[in-house]
Amino acid sequence: MPRKEDDPAIARQRFDIPHWIESNLAELNLKIAVAELIDNALDETLPGKKALITVTFDSRSGRVTFENRETPGMDIAKMKEFPLWGGLHKDPTKIKEHRLGGKLAIIFLLSKDRGSLSVTSKLANTQTIYKMGIPHWWNNLSPDITFPIETLDAAEIDNLGTTRFELEGVRGELIPSNVAELADELGLIYGPLIQGQRLSIDLVRHQPRGGRLEREQVLPVTVPFDKNQRREKTQVPTGKSGKGPRIDVAWGLLDQEQKRREEQARRGIYETQRVTQIRGDSIYF
């Protein structure tokens, strides 16, 4: 229950970049959107712990839930910072490059007419839970819109912090009919991290008409190669009909050169629109 003695905190949105958001969303797909959120979860995982991520798709309700465990959780300060689009990030150890990708991924998944977001975070080793709702986010992409933050009490203390993003009104075409193909694509990207026990990803899909849950654990995926390709350091295409990104044949990890090129392209767009480039891409900031 909410603590009645506490005044609800307010998160105020900073958003002054509407002119390029549509063009950036055109570059996204389900795999990239989910990967953006996974990257951010990795950055928010407790030191020395394995990121425990579950993504649940429900076509019946048009809902997607992204849950991250082994995290310190989002305190009230981080909740307030969440709807700030852009800002300086000084930590060079983070995967993220700027504080936009996670939010763009969420906006991409939400339908324009009814897409809403609820963020719930339980802090590690406390009974404290913070919850913030962003209704009809597409219609509220304006500066100075405010979102209330509730403070709740959990039934018990858990040493695992948990942060959950619940997306309501997700675009129907983005909810997969099965999660096996998405699991393979994520296994290609995050294979080394999964094999190195730094990351665990479970994909869950509610079957239509009340059927049983479909659950897929993402496993490491390597790309078949022959010795000649490896000796010549040839990169091979991926995806259907070979139209995916070219990757190092020795591992199924998206190569850093590809990431560098993509980031360079993004920077070009931002600079054209006179948007200051910053580091950090966390949905938590």
Side-chain angles (χ1 to χ4, degrees):
M1 295 292 294
R3 296 176 182 171
K4 294 181 180 178
E5 69 274 14
D6 293 343
D7 292 331
I10 297 295
R12 186 177 299 276
Q13 182 166 246
R14 181 178 67 204
F15 182 80
D16 55 3
I17 45 179
H19 41 284
W20 57 261
I21 195 169
E22 293 272 8
S23 62
N24 277 261
L25 292 177
E27 300 176 4
L28 297 183
N29 56 35
L30 177 63
K31 176 190 67 176
I32 294 173
V34 172
E36 288 279 8
L37 298 173
I38 291 173
D39 280 356
N40 293 335
L42 283 167
D43 278 341
E44 299 303 323
T45 300
L46 290 168
K49 299 292 186 180
K50 178 196 288 188
L52 307 175
I53 296 170
T54 302
V55 186
T56 303
F57 301 94
D58 190 346
S59 59
R60 302 168 303 176
S61 60
R63 179 182 300 161
V64 172
T65 303
F66 185 93
E67 183 175 276
N68 175 28
R69 303 185 72 200
E70 288 286 15
T71 173
M74 295 173 65
D75 59 18
I76 203 162
K78 286 187 177 181
M79 283 281 186
K80 287 185 174 183
E81 291 171 350
F82 172 75
L84 304 181
W85 292 72
L88 182 63
H89 196 296
K90 298 180 179 179
D91 189 345
T93 66
K94 302 292 187 182
I95 298 172
K96 44 220 175 202
E97 298 295 336
H98 44 78
R99 297 173 179 174
L100 300 170
K103 286 183 274 287
L104 282 172
I106 293 171
I107 287 292
F108 169 77
L109 293 167
L110 295 177
S111 64
K112 290 186 176 182
D113 58 338
R114 56 191 178 88
S116 299
L117 171 68
S118 175
V119 184
T120 305
S121 190
K122 182 181 181 301
L123 304 186
N125 300 309
T126 76
Q127 290 180 272
T128 303
I129 299 173
Y130 293 112
K131 184 174 183 178
M132 176 174 65
I134 303 181
H136 307 292
W137 205 358
W138 270 101
N139 295 327
N140 285 313
L141 285 176
S142 302
D144 295 325
I145 297 287
T146 58
F147 310 111
I149 304 170
E150 292 183 89
T151 302
L152 311 172
D153 285 321
E156 58 185 22
I157 295 176
D158 188 349
N159 63 346
L160 291 181
T162 302
T163 297
R164 180 183 299 110
F165 289 79
E166 192 166 324
L167 286 64
E168 300 268 4
V170 174
R171 294 160 53 193
E173 69 273 17
L174 294 178
I175 297 181
S177 57
N178 70 75
V179 292
E181 183 175 347
L182 178 60
D184 285 343
E185 291 176 321
L186 295 176
L188 191 67
I189 298 171
Y190 295 104
L193 296 178
I194 295 170
Q195 189 177 57
Q197 297 297 304
R198 287 189 55 200
L199 173 63
S200 172
I201 307 170
D202 285 317
L203 304 180
V204 179
R205 186 179 76 94
H206 287 272
Q207 298 278 13
R209 301 184 181 89
R212 65 180 180 82
L213 291 179
E214 176 191 2
R215 182 180 293 270
E216 287 279 346
Q217 183 180 23
V218 177
L219 301 175
V221 175
T222 57
V223 178
F225 61 92
D226 59 38
K227 293 181 179 179
N228 289 332
Q229 287 179 316
R230 189 172 187 182
R231 184 175 62 250
E232 296 169 1
K233 298 182 179 180
T234 302
Q235 291 185 326
V236 297
T238 62
K240 295 181 179 179
S241 305
K243 295 180 180 179
R246 302 183 70 84
I247 62 175
D248 191 308
V249 294
W251 244 123
L253 182 67
L254 287 175
D255 66 290
Q256 292 300 309
E257 177 63 20
Q258 175 73 13
K259 186 172 182 178
R260 185 192 66 78
R261 289 195 299 269
E262 290 175 355
E263 178 60 22
Q264 203 170 49
R266 291 193 188 101
R267 287 175 182 271
I269 294 172
Y270 299 152
E271 289 166 1
T272 300
Q273 300 295 347
R274 299 180 183 276
V275 176
T276 302
Q277 291 307 294
I278 40 78
R279 290 188 60 81
D281 188 14
S282 178
I283 55 178
Y284 300 98
F285 291 94

